[in-house]
Amino acid sequence: MIRVSKIAHASYETPDLDQQTEYYTDILGLSVAAKEKDAVYLASTIDHHSIVLRKGAQPQCVRVGFQIAPEADLGEFEKQVAGHGVKTERKKDPEPSIDDMLVFADPKGTVIEVFKRHDFSHRKFTNKGVVPHKLGHVAFHVTDVKGVTKFYCDVLGFRESDWMGDFFSFLRCGPDHHTINLMETGSNRHFHTAFELRDWGHMQTACDYLSTNGYKLLWGPGRHGIGHNLFAYHRGPNGLITELFAELDRMNDELGYFEPRPWHRDSPQRPKVWAKDPSASNLWGVLPGDEMMK
Ligand SMILES: [Fe+2]
């Protein structure tokens, strides 16, 4: 099968486009790559854009974009998706830097955009704001975790990295432990969007920068059990949650285990089902408050 190999971008609707754009540029340190009448494209580094904002009544994540390998055939990928009974659409030049895009909906209603990237932005990292390495993952609340997980694995070629009990799946489409994670909670909606930082020092600088700009942490800093990443969560001005993370587990798919780290409890650390236990959430012991689930 053809597998998607990278998360490329996430697209949001948001009521106040200017305010949310300012957050992404001045606080997170992304750059405005392009602007249309009701849309803003925000870049981190090599991709033309990692975040797309469009004006909408409710803050919500409406689309997620994935790349397939340069040698993969998008037409063959389309056949693979349609073979699962999924209605597909092909769009020519739908967004800046993307000339050919396959579009379809996942079972929870998020639009999936799959394409090949032919050229790169050659953008330098900025020096204002948090300045993450990249968009890392998007997490969703879902009503049917088994169904949506199966869709991502069967249709898009994701692999299961870990589960928490039978209600929270962590799925990868490359070496990073998770690119999409799905938590069954009784509704279909955005949970958080995560950006990768360098290391613990970068986390500290970022948390201080958030604080001096009036952004309080919702949870963290801590170290997750599942994925073993350092984490800190806050809410952007539109209310959606952003996670900053570092040191996420990386999989060696040939060998079937995650690269060894001193904070692992298993040796080797392999994909597994974790008990619904505080250590799965935060190895350092502090559990999330109710605010995280709103
Ligand atoms: Fe996360």
Side-chain angles (χ1 to χ4, degrees), residues 137 178 181 192 233 243:
H137 60 269
H178 55 278
N181 35 344
H192 63 266
Y233 295 86
E243 177 189 6

Side-chain angles (χ1 to χ4, degrees), residues 137-141 168-171 178-183 192:
H137 60 269
V138 185
F140 292 91
H141 294 268
F168 201 172
S169 66
F170 295 76
L171 311 176
H178 55 278
T179 314
I180 291 288
N181 35 344
L182 306 164
M183 180 169 59
H192 63 266

Side-chain angles (χ1 to χ4, degrees), residues 186-205:
S187 64
N188 290 312
R189 62 189 172 92
H190 176 264
F191 178 20
H192 63 266
T193 299
F195 294 91
E196 186 184 57
L197 306 190
R198 282 190 299 282
D199 55 16
W200 177 242
H202 196 182
M203 293 284 288
Q204 184 214 351
T205 309

Side-chain angles (χ1 to χ4, degrees), residues 6-26:
K6 176 184 180 298
I7 188 168
H9 60 253
S11 301
Y12 303 81
E13 290 181 355
T14 197
D16 190 332
L17 202 54
D18 291 341
Q19 184 191 46
Q20 198 65 13
T21 301
E22 196 175 292
Y23 163 73
Y24 274 111
T25 53
D26 295 4

Side-chain angles (χ1 to χ4, degrees), residues 14 57 78 98 109 114 126 139 149 171 177 182 245 266 269:
T14 197
E78 183 171 12
I98 302 172
V114 179
T126 60
T149 297
L171 311 176
H177 178 277
L182 306 164
F245 72 93
D266 296 349
Q269 188 76 45

Side-chain angles (χ1 to χ4, degrees), residues 36 41 54 63 91-103 113 115:
E36 293 167 357
Y41 298 87
R54 290 192 174 83
R63 311 175 197 193
K91 290 188 175 175
K92 301 290 174 195
D93 299 314
E95 290 187 355
S97 84
I98 302 172
D99 61 0
D100 189 5
M101 181 187 264
L102 178 67
V103 181
E113 304 179 323
F115 62 97

